[in-house]
Amino acid sequence: MGVEETIGVTETAPIPKQRGEQLLDHAVRYAEERHWDVFAGTWLEAGDGREVCSCGTAECPAPGAHAAVKDWAGHATGSAVQIRRVWGKNPAASILLPTGRSFDALDVPESAGFLALARLDRMQRTLGPVTLTPDHRMLFFVLPGAGAKMTDLVRNLGWIPSAIDLVARGEGEYVAAPPTRYGGRGAVQWARRPTPANRWLPDTEELIDALAYACGSEAAAERRRR
């Protein structure tokens, strides 16, 4: 019995891409369409009946989703040719994006992130891409320079920066990009995908009030539960 008869259609069903092909495709698109630098991180390997990080650490906090070398910043590239060469050698490598170059990221708890998204939509604020990670964090992409100004902005809004879970990821740091997976926890996803409409990123000032309010509300709720 042929493929067409088996699935009951007249055309052959498309063959899903292998995971390595998906990672390569995404990495190339980030470089070509968004002009983001990317670099290859660790990957997942089979071991003891489960997937383990290629770094060899038994209790790796981000299995398959962190830098594989100390000088990772020097390996970040926006060249599609170089990206194809790197992922051609290791198709399973995670996709990591250095912050502090094309963008910074404002990192908040997932619950606060969804609250902030709803608030920002009501306020009709312009958003950039937003990722959702398997460890329940949400990262809002903004223009570089967030780290230098965020503390003062939060304090001017009446919040104590150290009392709320709001972190700026900038120069010298990186974030994992979809569809990178964290071991058995799942994959990084887009809460707001990169599109032509959000090519121009917002500045930190445009999002900080909603994010600080959401994180402050979460912190207050947590104190009440104790």
Side-chain angles (χ1 to χ4, degrees), residues 19-28 30-31 37-43 75-77 79-97 177-180:
R19 177 165 176 77
E21 294 176 301
Q22 293 178 348
L23 288 164
L24 172 59
D25 285 351
H26 280 78
V28 169
Y30 295 148
D37 285 351
V38 305
F39 68 98
T42 53
W43 57 94
H75 293 268
T77 178
S79 165
V81 172
Q82 181 65 15
I83 290 167
R84 289 189 175 93
R85 184 179 299 121
V86 170
W87 266 270
K89 294 178 181 177
N90 191 350
S94 54
I95 305 172
L96 305 178
L97 310 173
T180 294

Side-chain angles (χ1 to χ4, degrees), residues 29-30 32-36 126-129 190 192-202:
R29 287 210 303 272
Y30 295 148
E32 290 188 334
E33 297 177 10
R34 301 300 293 204
H35 304 294
W36 292 340
T126 300
L127 288 173
W190 289 114
R192 292 292 172 91
R193 292 181 175 277
T195 68
N198 63 22
R199 179 174 298 278
W200 304 109
L201 298 177

Side-chain angles (χ1 to χ4, degrees), residues 3 8-9 14-15 39 46 54 62 85 87 93 112 125 137 152 169 174 190 224:
V3 173
V9 295
I15 300 173
F39 68 98
S54 61
R85 184 179 299 121
W87 266 270
R125 297 283 180 85
R137 306 292 298 185
D152 287 341
R169 309 274 288 275
Y174 59 84
W190 289 114
R224 288 193 296 271

